[in-house]
Amino acid sequence: MLKVAIVSLLAAASALAQPASPGATASPARNTGAQTSNTAAKPQASPEATNQAAASPSATDQKPPASQATASKAGEGKATSKASAPAEPALPPTATVITVHGTCTTHSGAKGAAAKDCTTRITKKQFDTLLNMVMPPNQSPTPQMRRTLAQRYVELLAVAEAAQKAGVENSPEYALLRLRGLAEAYQRELDLKYKKVPPSETEAYYNQHKGEFESATLRRLYIPKADPAKPKATADEKAAFAKKAQEIGDQMQQRANKGEDMEALEKDAYSKLGLTITPPSTQIGPVRKGALPAATDKQIFALAQGGTYKDDEPTAVVIYKVESKETLPLDKVKDEIARKMERQKMDSTMKAITSSVKADYNDKYFGPATASTSPEPPGERR
């Protein structure tokens, strides 16, 4: 639960992250409890520590290597010039990056020790895991960002220890937060697991669902059924205008099937209807299959190149013409497929979990079940 609370608090600090070029991030680590010890004893790891941290590159309390570039001296009393500093060698995962003095009573490794004599040590690996959980995708943390998160984490350790001393763990509020925190942490674990979609699965999905990745370049001729320049037209005038628009729409579709230019047809249609407004562009696309309303989408993607479809909408007659169609290659849709497969696996797992339990509700207390009180599908809660 402490891990989830840490993420909640540190998320507020993620707003300080500055856009940066994508960089490698450390892989999430498991069971990375902070190291806690009494200052009188030799520091050693405490895997049972309740502050299971996650982490990413941060400032360290270790000395930099001697090979780090320094300003070179030209001689006694002469001006010095700075050498360009090489990239600082990466710290090992076991290096201590945060040492917290005065917090230890919440950790099993410090039983019986006075708080003022205790220290809690967080390694680079632990902090890297935590940082990876709160950093936006494709952003590398700046030193300022790391330090800000580290400071928030230390504050949280202190407050969490005070809360334990106050017996907050026995409160009903904590019990509810713990349940929610566990569920959210488990969903995150599943997210991380399902993000790793093997290329073979992506390719197999693509080959089995190629129809989902069709794209079409369209022309659309839009003929309004009412004259916007005559808002006060009578009902009969409006009906007559709409009937004429439908008749002209039929004519334009026939001419479009013969290969006439759609822009010219739209201008002609507007002229025949006496419309003074400028016709919209007929160029549309490319349009992915599934982007249009279901009925229209089905009709359009059933057409061959050059085919037309007339859609009689409430406010306009719309004529679509397919200029070209293609099936997008795997390279262009592999990320989309991976995200879709991740959602499917997540939804399937959550459905299996929630459907494995059954509850009876007292209607005298809760009232009869309705559609609005039915549980949401697992995917809708994410």
Side-chain angles (χ1 to χ4, degrees):
M1 181 57 198
L2 181 58
K3 175 181 176 181
V4 177
I6 291 169
V7 176
S8 177
L9 180 60
L10 296 184
S14 66
L16 297 176
Q18 301 296 325
S21 57
T25 55
S27 301
R30 293 176 176 271
N31 299 325
T32 55
Q35 300 173 358
T36 308
S37 68
N38 188 290
T39 54
K42 180 180 179 180
Q44 56 184 352
S46 176
E48 298 177 1
T50 56
N51 60 321
Q52 296 182 353
S56 97
S58 77
T60 172
D61 58 352
Q62 296 190 350
K63 295 182 179 179
S67 60
Q68 183 174 347
T70 58
S72 60
K73 294 185 178 180
E76 195 78 19
K78 294 183 180 180
T80 60
S81 61
K82 293 184 178 180
S84 57
E88 185 176 346
L91 292 171
T94 56
T96 298
V97 295
I98 305 176
T99 302
V100 187
H101 303 279
T103 60
C104 67
T105 56
T106 60
H107 308 300
S108 58
K111 288 181 178 179
K116 65 179 181 178
D117 296 327
C118 289
T119 58
T120 297
R121 292 177 173 82
I122 296 92
T123 66
K124 176 182 179 297
K125 181 178 180 180
Q126 293 167 346
F127 191 73
D128 278 349
T129 306
L130 177 60
L131 188 57
N132 287 340
M133 294 173 66
V134 299
M135 280 299 298
N138 300 324
Q139 285 196 18
S140 298
T142 63
Q144 180 184 1
M145 180 63 180
R146 294 171 188 158
R147 183 173 292 276
T148 298
L149 295 181
Q151 290 170 342
R152 298 293 184 273
Y153 176 59
V154 171
E155 291 172 1
L156 184 59
L157 284 177
V159 175
E161 185 169 316
Q164 283 189 318
K165 291 178 180 178
V168 173
E169 288 177 310
N170 300 320
S171 68
E173 292 85 0
Y174 179 83
L176 180 60
L177 289 173
R178 178 179 178 277
L179 287 175
R180 180 175 178 178
L182 284 172
E184 290 179 352
Y186 181 59
Q187 284 187 317
R188 177 175 175 80
E189 290 291 324
L190 292 177
D191 277 335
L192 294 174
K193 175 183 177 182
Y194 293 145
K195 279 184 186 298
K196 302 175 182 178
V197 181
S200 58
E201 290 186 21
T202 304
E203 184 175 1
Y205 184 96
Y206 175 80
N207 292 330
Q208 295 171 10
H209 302 84
K210 280 190 175 181
E212 296 180 8
F213 308 108
E214 286 187 77
S215 176
T217 299
L218 308 174
R219 286 295 185 98
R220 182 185 65 180
L221 196 159
Y222 185 89
I223 306 173
K225 290 183 177 180
D227 187 350
K230 299 179 180 179
K232 296 183 179 180
T234 65
D236 289 343
E237 290 172 336
K238 291 179 180 179
F241 189 95
K243 182 180 179 181
K244 187 175 181 180
Q246 289 175 326
E247 292 173 351
I248 291 176
D250 292 337
Q251 297 172 15
M252 297 301 127
Q253 183 180 21
Q254 293 174 8
R255 292 169 62 180
N257 286 332
K258 294 178 181 179
E260 292 192 42
D261 181 71
M262 294 289 281
E263 292 283 351
L265 289 176
E266 188 170 56
K267 290 179 180 178
D268 191 23
Y270 276 52
S271 176
K272 291 179 182 299
L273 285 169
L275 294 172
T276 58
I277 58 175
T278 302
S281 173
T282 63
Q283 186 68 50
I284 301 178
V287 176
R288 280 287 300 276
K289 187 175 185 179
L292 297 170
T296 302
D297 191 85
K298 181 179 180 180
Q299 293 290 337
I300 288 176
F301 280 90
L303 295 172
Q305 183 172 329
T308 64
Y309 167 67
K310 182 167 70 70
D311 190 3
D312 191 8
E313 296 182 356
T315 59
V317 176
V318 183
I319 301 169
Y320 295 94
K321 183 174 183 178
V322 178
E323 287 204 327
S324 64
K325 290 174 65 177
E326 68 169 331
T327 299
L328 298 176
L330 175 59
D331 285 346
K332 288 188 176 181
V333 297
K334 61 182 180 180
D335 291 339
E336 175 186 336
I337 293 174
R339 290 191 296 270
K340 181 175 292 188
M341 295 184 71
E342 178 192 352
R343 288 195 301 268
Q344 289 177 348
K345 290 179 180 180
M346 173 65 79
D347 291 346
S348 177
T349 300
M350 297 307 297
K351 184 177 180 180
I353 293 172
T354 56
S355 62
S356 66
V357 298
K358 182 180 181 298
D360 297 319
Y361 302 95
N362 189 324
D363 290 347
K364 290 183 179 179
Y365 180 78
F366 294 105
T370 62
S372 61
T373 59
S374 299
E376 295 177 337
E380 297 298 324
R381 292 195 290 266
R382 298 176 58 239

